[in-house]
Amino acid sequence: MKKFMMFVTVSLVLELGLSTLHAQMPSDKPTVLRLDPALDELIAPDARLELAKTGFGFTEGTTWMPQGKNNGYLVFSDMAANVIYKLTMDGQASVYLEHAGYTGYDVWNHGMDQTNGKAQDDPLFRKFNIYGSNGTALDRQGRLVIATWGGRSVDRLEKDKKRVTLADKVDGLRFNGTNDLVVKKDGAVYFTDGFGGLRGRDKDPDKGIDYTGLFMVKDGKVSAVIKNLQGANGLSLSPDEKYLYANGARLVRRYVIQPDDSVDVPNMQVLTDMTADKLPGITDGMKVDAKGNIYESCCGGIWIISPDGKHLGTIFTPELVANLDFGDPDYKTLYIAARTSIYKIRVKTPGIPGR
């Protein structure tokens, strides 16, 4: 009977994946596809996806900001609005940082085209260029580090809200659209860069470097870690910081981190390959929990992947996921940035504070 129910569930999921995005989830009740019993140790059978807040343009860059032991709030980018929002535990949203990405005035000339994910015949459908900030993370001092995307830099927000640029060029050439980032305990900041921050993408006359890749800024020095990284996008670290995970093109790649914080490129391992999945979505943001499991956006929601690369299950969402983070004081609420909304679901294994 269990095998039959699994067959029905998977068949339904594949059928939904061939439909349009707005029909991807026909019910407001969440679906957690369980492919391995190990998932029961991570997400309870009765866990439910909740809508935390909606009404945004294009949500991204989620980071939990702890405030003492029993409080805190989520910050996240709205790439269409060019702001970073603050979302409290009781669901109140307010602007945390204005002009979070591109800080100039000719905003029409920056950022790639995107939509809010709704069907084109929906009255709420919107198309816009995204020039705001993208990924965010905390450093070891609790300061917010921002991939500014349309701003083409990696910035840090000091405790007094003063903004400091950590990196905006490599080898004398500008970045084109800083995407995601992660901060190591020793202060090294890994980040990805592509052409999305430019209105004309790789054909834009204002293009800087001529490739997508993985970069690092450490002790004030900016270096290219991997050049021509296909689909360079989301980043995360294993709990012990022995491995760097970098996704893109529906692959999750694992690299061994060297003593100098470079990575072993020749011995890169493709940990997970999602290219055969028919559901909509790209490999974008990802996070790792305290046990090393990877929560990876893609393919209708979030894939949950074991440390050895096994697909344990999927959290399906009503909108395409761009980013996620563990939050609340116990780090057992998974906050999910999906197009116009922020969703949340409780988990049993916590995330890693500051990641």
Side-chain angles (χ1 to χ4, degrees), residues 76-85 95 97-101 132-133:
F76 62 93
S77 300
D78 186 336
M79 299 184 71
N82 197 19
V83 302
I84 291 177
Y85 282 104
V95 173
L97 179 68
E98 295 182 328
H99 306 293
S133 60

Side-chain angles (χ1 to χ4, degrees), residues 214 225-226 228-230 235-238 241-247 252-258 262-271:
L214 171 69
V225 180
I226 305 174
N228 300 309
L229 179 63
Q230 184 184 13
L235 298 172
S236 197
L237 294 164
S238 62
E241 298 193 342
K242 290 183 179 179
Y243 301 109
L244 174 71
Y245 301 107
N247 69 28
V252 176
R253 308 174 181 93
R254 184 171 70 183
Y255 299 89
V256 174
I257 298 176
Q258 306 294 342
S262 64
V263 300
D264 184 359
V265 178
N267 292 308
M268 177 274 292
Q269 178 187 0
V270 175
L271 190 68

Side-chain angles (χ1 to χ4, degrees), residues 177-195:
T178 48
N179 192 325
D180 200 12
L181 42 77
V182 66
V183 183
K184 203 164 174 276
K185 289 179 182 178
D186 64 5
V189 180
Y190 298 103
F191 62 97
T192 51
D193 183 75
F195 299 110

Side-chain angles (χ1 to χ4, degrees), residues 24-31 48-51 316-318 343:
Q24 179 181 313
M25 291 286 288
S27 168
D28 60 356
K29 294 183 180 179
T31 300
R48 292 291 179 264
L49 189 72
E50 301 176 45
L51 178 64
F316 292 106
T317 55
Y343 297 89

